[in-house]
Amino acid sequence: MAEHETATLPFDAGADADAGAGAAADAGAGVGVEAGAAGSSAVEAVWDQRYSGPDRLWSGQPNGTLLAETAGLAPGRVLDVGCGEGADALWLAEQGWQVTALDVSRVALERAEAEGRRRGVDVAWLHSGLVEAALAPRSFELVSAQYPALFRTPGNVAEHTLMDVVAPGGTLLVVHHPAPTVSEAKVHGFHPDDYVSPANVAALLDDKWVVEVDEVRPRHVATGAGSHHTHDVVLRARRLA
């Protein structure tokens, strides 16, 4: 989760094999958590509490859609938005990607960093929200946002940030669950329009982008907090210039 201004969260935000809130090298493998602007302290506290249990929140496996949609991509620099406990980021690093992974939850990042040390994997862990991180434009060959909880704003700041940090020729991958109905969302204290969806991002893509995938597909996840979801909304777009 990355761009909330309140502590209200969509139910199962970031819910899948592993995904999370947002989003200096230490001895040995695993790049230490870099301090950044983590956004609202109330939101950070909510996600830290969610990750504070003794057990892993997600399954610990990388998201299946990420594996499928990156199969033909040459490794380069990748941004993992809302990395949670780090399953996606660590898998990407093991495939040869240079990974920056951000999340607003320091607890989640500490878990991710510890797993990276255990596996001997280098990742730049960034404690920040997406917009607050102030990342350099056009700096990643892949930007992956798996089930992010990004708060919408009148200027579509989060959506534009996702797009702006993709390098020419690079890929933007946004995956989410189908939006709940207004009544379903109300039970959990939010409105579906409060949060960025793949459709919101797709609506902003211009002729500098080629949409390669824009579809709803079945998903099969047996464990973790999001295992009850049965479909994914997948947007994959390539930046031309």
Side-chain angles (χ1 to χ4, degrees), residues 188-203:
H188 296 272
F190 73 103
H191 191 284
D193 291 343
D194 290 343
Y195 296 91
V196 173
S197 71
N200 299 140
V201 178

Side-chain angles (χ1 to χ4, degrees), residues 40-103:
S40 165
S41 59
V43 172
E44 181 180 348
V46 169
W47 280 101
D48 280 348
Q49 177 62 34
R50 192 171 185 188
Y51 282 110
S52 65
D55 299 324
R56 192 194 308 267
L57 181 60
W58 313 114
S59 73
Q61 300 300 314
N63 285 295
T65 302
L66 175 69
L67 273 62
E69 297 302 326
T70 59
L73 300 181
R77 298 162 298 175
V78 56
L79 175 67
D80 183 4
V81 178
C83 65
E85 293 163 321
D88 283 358
L90 294 170
W91 179 83
L92 285 162
E94 289 170 340
Q95 310 312 305
W97 291 85
Q98 180 183 336
V99 183
T100 298
L102 62 81
D103 203 285

Side-chain angles (χ1 to χ4, degrees), residues 69-153:
E69 297 302 326
T70 59
L73 300 181
R77 298 162 298 175
V78 56
L79 175 67
D80 183 4
V81 178
C83 65
E85 293 163 321
D88 283 358
L90 294 170
W91 179 83
L92 285 162
E94 289 170 340
Q95 310 312 305
W97 291 85
Q98 180 183 336
V99 183
T100 298
L102 62 81
D103 203 285
V104 300
S105 171
R106 183 172 291 279
V107 175
L109 290 172
E110 288 171 350
R111 289 186 176 188
E113 183 185 6
E115 179 65 10
R117 287 197 301 268
R118 187 187 71 81
R119 289 159 62 171
V121 176
D122 288 332
V123 171
W125 305 106
L126 179 60
H127 181 222
S128 181
L130 171 64
V131 173
E132 294 88 350
L135 299 162
R138 303 186 173 205
S139 53
F140 297 97
E141 282 72 43
L142 172 64
V143 173
S144 174
Q146 303 284 317
Y147 316 96
L150 298 171
F151 200 79
R152 296 195 69 198
T153 62

